């Protein structure tokens, strides 16, 4: 009996979390929280940070957009996921490396505008990808995949 009650409580909590994620009024926490989690993972697992930078945002965006089906919050998450991830990553890295004297320069407007200037086209593409995935239909999913592949090819062409 007790095992059955605890299992019921666990499903009750997961149901609450699922409902909270689907609720548009809580989407601001998702939009601000997912890039922070990705930045933290990228900083803590430094050898795998390139994988987190390239694939982490799109996986997070695709899961969120498909699960919720909320087109507006998915587009907003796609718009800000990469700039916020880089905005969070550098100060987190400075804190992890105990270089607190460098923290003040990461909260200047020039640094913020440099991040936006560097990643605006990827943000727009991710915004469109999130919007398309939220439709949950095969043609839209294929179009989102095509945009991601084109974006990845363009990104990898600049690495060489």
């Amino acid at each position: 009996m007790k095992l059955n009650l605890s299992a019921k409580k666990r499903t009750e909590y997961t149901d609450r979390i699922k409902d909270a994620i689907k609720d548009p009024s809580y989407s601001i926490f998702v939009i601000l929280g997912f890039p922070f989690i990705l930045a933290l993972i990228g900083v803590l697992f430094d050898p795998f940070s390139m994988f987190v930078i390239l694939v982490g945002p799109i996986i997070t965006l695709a899961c969120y957009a498909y699960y919720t089906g909320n087109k507006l919050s998915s587009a907003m998450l796609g718009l800000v996921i990469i700039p916020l991830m880089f905005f969070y990553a550098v100060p987190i890295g400075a804190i992890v490396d105990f270089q607190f004297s460098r923290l003040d320069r990461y909260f200047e407007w020039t640094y913020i505008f440099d991040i936006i200037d560097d990643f605006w086209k990827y943000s727009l593409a991710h915004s469109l990808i999130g919007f398309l995935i939220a439709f949950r239909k095969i043609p839209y999913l294929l179009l989102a995949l095509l945009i991601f592949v084109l974006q990845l090819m363009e990104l990898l062409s600049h690495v060489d």
Side-chain angles (χ1 to χ4, degrees):
M1 280 277 189
K2 289 183 182 180
L3 180 63
N4 199 8
L5 289 175
S6 66
K8 185 178 179 182
K9 277 189 173 184
R10 286 185 191 149
T11 57
E12 178 185 337
Y13 293 134
T14 56
D15 289 341
R16 284 185 189 176
I17 291 171
K18 288 178 184 178
D19 291 339
I21 289 174
K22 285 187 175 184
D23 187 7
S25 63
Y26 292 112
S27 63
I28 189 70
F29 298 114
V30 172
I31 291 171
L32 294 176
F34 281 162
F36 180 79
I37 292 169
L38 287 172
L40 190 62
I41 290 170
V43 168
L44 293 179
F45 301 109
D46 193 32
F48 304 107
S49 64
M50 187 55 108
F51 178 78
V52 172
I53 290 169
L54 290 177
V55 181
I58 197 68
I59 290 174
T60 304
L61 178 63
C63 291
Y64 177 76
Y66 193 82
Y67 179 73
T68 62
N70 189 342
K71 295 167 189 65
L72 179 64
S73 65
S74 299
M76 289 301 297
L77 178 63
L79 189 65
V80 300
I81 194 165
I82 292 180
L84 275 180
M85 190 174 67
F86 281 98
F87 178 73
Y88 291 148
V90 180
I92 290 172
I95 291 169
V96 168
D97 293 337
F98 296 105
Q99 297 176 349
F100 300 110
S101 62
R102 296 187 329 167
L103 283 177
D104 60 339
R105 70 176 181 202
Y106 299 122
F107 298 105
E108 295 176 354
W109 286 108
T110 56
Y111 175 71
I112 295 169
F113 288 134
D114 284 341
I115 291 174
I116 293 170
D117 186 42
D118 290 341
F119 298 107
W120 68 269
K121 56 186 168 185
Y122 304 114
S123 295
L124 291 177
H126 274 79
S127 179
L128 182 60
I129 290 170
F131 182 74
L132 291 172
I133 290 174
F135 281 104
R136 300 181 187 163
K137 299 201 186 304
I138 297 294
Y140 294 111
L141 294 174
L142 291 175
L143 186 59
L145 181 65
L146 176 69
I147 293 170
F148 174 67
V149 167
L150 291 174
Q151 175 190 8
L152 193 62
M153 288 173 45
E154 195 270 335
L155 180 69
L156 292 176
S157 70
H158 288 294
V159 173
D160 294 336

